Amino acid sequence: METTLRGVGVSHGVAIGEVRRMGTAVLEPPTGRIPAQDAERERGRARQAVDAVAADLTTRGGLAGGDAQAVLEAQAMMAQDPELMADVERRVAGGVAAARAVYDAFASYRELLAGAGEYLAGRVADLDDVRDRIVARLMGVPMPGLPDSDKPYVLVARDLAPADTALLDPSLVLGFVTEEGGPTSHSAILARALGVPAVVALPDAATLAEGAVIAVDGGTGDVFVDPAEETKERLAAADAERRAAVAGSAGPGSTADGYLVPLLANVGGPADVPAAVEAGAEGVGLFRTEFLFLDDSEHAPSEEKQAEAYRQVLEAFPEGRVVVRVLDAGADKPLSFLTPGDEPNPALGVRGLRSLIGHPEILRTQLAALARAAEGLSVRLEVMAPMVADRADARAFAQACREAGLRAKVGAMVEIPSAALRARSVLREVEFLSLGTNDLAQYTFAADRQVGAVSRFQDPWQPALLDLVALSAEAARDGGGSCGVCGEAAADPLLACVLTGLGVTSLSMGSASIPYVRAALARYTLAQCERAAAAARAADSAEEARAAARAVLSGE
């Protein structure tokens, strides 16, 4: 008999197939002591295992490219963290075997993350994956991973490590379902990049038996167990209709009555540009520049190195718009030369613009590199600061841009509720706003964006979040500025229509989502989008808001 489960849909499309569960194992090494004379050998084994795992993660990242590369390179840095390695070596010197020393050192670091308010809870999954890979190598056992199968399947797991998700073969993995994760987790981001239907934060995922037939709707979050034939036909028909609409969409983003809504791409570096161009992106709405700084956590990249990388992206959109976010370090992206290492809660500490204000030479070099990269190009360069809290922050950033001689529009990211509430004040110093809905939701609801248990608060359909978007858009409209959305909310085609109705003037997303959003916008007029937005804001929950907007747009 058909039953329906509900999780969080994070990647559009439909997958119907048999369940194959992710291989799992408890990789806990035995306790015991080693002779003192073996300590040096065990230290050497630990270093070799760490280096081998880091090299493997880096190689996987290079093969995957895009967002996956940035995630896996961050994991490689995690594996080689000097403090963790020093802890491992101290334990070995105290008579603990290499595998157990690694296991215990990572456990200690895991406790530190939990004690920091669990802001880094999403990174705990990455940490566990790195630990298991090192321990498996030291114990000489295979690392649990993707199941072996010669026919396509739907992958089910408690969670997926980035190293596994990044190299999924879409010809074999029809879609995936996870028990944990959230709309902005690494698994969700990589699923969208791969174009694989996915549902996360499904509490009942553990009940899905090996070999059971399920149907996964990555748009609604519905998972049908033992689906009836009519359910399969309905899902297949809806998916075919969606694909046809996407295939037929082209040109600039606009509503059915011709209201232009530029559709831009989120990119993490030059490697992401080809996919953005192929998807028809009208420019870049979020150019994350951290990839350059994460290559070496001890030193900032030179102006020359930065300028070269920035120019590669700027040249790809000669008539378009490229919005660059200056370095957003801190919290889950610590850099030893920039961010404090002893903050009790890094999420609420010195991160983003706060770090740059404290280290003006880093910001000065980056702005000079951007000015240099844009020389002689016709691209419309815009530069924005992350984690702006108030007018004083906006003023400091705008002043730094002027002093650097940067000829570009200057903007502020709205990720802190205070910036949305005081958007009119912030816009007295800058020319545009860009809403980072992932962090904005996190700070609005005190809900870590990586913790599945609070994923309902990370749902961008939350009416309180829509209210903050509306406040920002209204302030920009009245002040003659612009207000875009560059968080994952823009990748939801239905929500993109609502955001347009709220007054958002551009939408930026992962390249794979652009055709879906373009097709959705083309179906409705601006007036319909405005009515859907009003209905969503009048709701009391994310689920009600989604249903209300869908009802308006479908004419119910």
Side-chain angles (χ1 to χ4, degrees):
M1 177 184 293
E2 177 181 303
T3 56
T4 305
L5 307 176
R6 171 65 63 86
V8 178
V10 295
S11 184
H12 297 285
V14 171
I16 302 174
E18 291 186 1
V19 168
R20 292 288 180 274
R21 299 196 65 88
M22 189 80 170
T24 58
V26 179
L27 292 176
E28 181 172 356
T31 57
R33 313 296 293 175
I34 59 170
Q37 62 267 28
D38 290 346
E40 185 57 38
R41 179 177 64 85
E42 289 295 285
R43 277 198 296 269
R45 290 183 66 233
R47 283 193 293 269
Q48 289 174 1
V50 164
D51 290 343
V53 167
D56 177 60
L57 290 168
T58 301
T59 299
R60 286 171 179 253
L63 292 172
D67 287 339
Q69 184 169 9
V71 171
L72 291 173
E73 288 179 350
Q75 270 197 295
M77 288 177 59
M78 188 182 286
Q80 294 180 305
D81 182 274
E83 290 186 16
L84 264 173
M85 195 61 217
D87 190 10
V88 170
E89 293 186 344
R90 281 195 298 271
R91 293 172 189 272
V92 171
V96 179
R100 187 72 206 189
V102 167
Y103 186 89
D104 290 343
F106 272 74
S108 178
Y109 190 52
R110 201 179 197 279
E111 289 179 9
L112 288 176
L113 296 186
E118 288 198 83
Y119 176 78
L120 301 182
R123 300 303 177 263
V124 166
D126 296 355
L127 186 73
D128 289 347
D129 181 58
V130 172
R131 176 203 63 202
D132 288 347
R133 291 176 187 279
I134 297 171
V135 170
R137 187 172 287 271
L138 286 166
M139 293 176 66
V141 300
M143 176 68 192
L146 297 172
D148 290 326
S149 178
D150 56 2
K151 65 178 184 178
Y153 59 90
V154 178
L155 181 63
V156 176
R158 181 181 62 80
D159 201 355
L160 287 173
D164 294 316
T165 315
L167 297 182
L168 289 179
D169 181 353
S171 67
L172 275 179
V173 181
L174 302 172
F176 66 76
V177 176
T178 65
E179 183 177 348
E180 299 182 358
T184 59
S185 65
H186 284 157
S187 294
I189 292 170
L190 296 180
R192 285 189 285 270
L194 288 165
V196 176
V199 171
V200 302
L202 182 75
D204 298 309
T207 67
L208 299 174
E210 182 83 10
V213 175
I214 63 173
V216 178
D217 188 332
T220 65
D222 290 331
V223 175
F224 303 91
V225 184
D226 193 18
E229 284 304 315
E230 69 175 74
T231 299
K232 293 180 184 179
E233 292 172 5
R234 174 173 57 81
L235 290 173
D239 194 43
E241 181 181 349
R242 182 166 51 238
R243 289 176 183 274
V246 168
S249 71
S254 72
T255 59
D257 54 341
Y259 177 76
L260 294 176
V261 185
L263 302 182
L264 312 171
N266 294 342
V267 304
D272 293 344
V273 168
V277 173
E278 184 179 353
E282 298 168 60
V284 173
L286 173 61
F287 180 7
R288 305 181 186 94
T289 57
E290 290 75 42
F291 74 103
L292 280 167
F293 293 82
L294 292 173
D295 282 347
D296 182 354
S297 65
E298 301 295 327
H299 306 92
S302 66
E303 180 183 322
E304 292 74 15
K305 181 177 180 180
Q306 291 187 57
E308 181 182 354
Y310 301 152
R311 193 172 180 90
Q312 290 180 53
V313 176
L314 297 177
E315 287 177 335
F317 299 94
E319 305 303 323
R321 168 189 178 199
V322 174
V323 183
V324 179
R325 181 181 71 190
V326 295
L327 176 62
D328 183 14
D332 58 339
K333 291 170 285 190
L335 294 170
S336 60
F337 62 84
L338 187 65
T339 52
D342 56 352
E343 290 185 303
N345 191 341
L348 303 178
V350 182
R351 63 168 293 196
L353 180 61
R354 297 168 186 174
S355 295
L356 296 175
I357 289 175
H359 295 79
E361 71 285 356
I362 302 293
L363 178 58
R364 203 161 36 238
T365 299
Q366 184 169 25
L367 294 175
L370 285 166
R372 183 170 170 178
E375 287 178 0
L377 301 181
S378 57
V379 64
R380 300 194 305 278
L381 173 64
E382 301 184 11
V383 182
M384 61 185 181
M387 302 301 293
V388 170
D390 57 13
R391 184 176 179 178
D393 278 352
R395 183 188 302 120
F397 181 64
Q399 178 64 26
C401 290
R402 285 192 294 270
E403 291 175 355
L406 191 63
R407 295 182 179 180
K409 279 190 175 182
V410 177
M413 289 200 70
V414 177
E415 301 161 283
I416 303 172
S418 62
L421 294 168
R422 300 288 296 172
R424 294 176 190 276
S425 175
V426 171
L427 282 164
R428 292 191 179 99
E429 304 293 341
V430 297
E431 298 168 88
F432 71 93
L433 303 176
S434 184
L435 288 134
T437 52
N438 307 347
D439 269 323
L440 185 57
Q442 174 169 253
Y443 291 121
T444 298
F445 298 104
D448 192 302
R449 54 192 281 190
Q450 301 291 344
V451 177
V454 294
S455 63
R456 76 179 183 89
F457 295 111
Q458 265 295 325
D459 191 326
W461 281 93
Q462 286 283 356
L465 190 65
L466 299 181
D467 287 345
L468 293 175
V469 173
L471 277 174
S472 302
E474 182 182 351
R477 183 192 64 223
D478 293 348
S482 61
C483 178
V485 168
C486 62
E488 291 300 318
D492 179 337
L494 181 62
L495 185 51
C497 297
V498 167
L499 294 173
T500 298
L502 291 173
V504 168
T505 55
S506 66
L507 299 167
S508 189
M509 65 209 74
S511 299
S513 298
I514 290 176
Y516 290 96
V517 172
R518 184 190 292 119
L521 280 173
R523 294 177 61 187
Y524 307 109
T525 65
L526 176 59
Q528 286 176 299
C529 292
E530 289 172 341
R531 288 196 294 272
R537 287 185 69 189
D540 290 321
S541 70
E543 190 167 316
E544 289 176 8
R546 187 183 287 107
R550 184 176 286 116
V552 169
L553 294 177
S554 63
E556 295 177 6

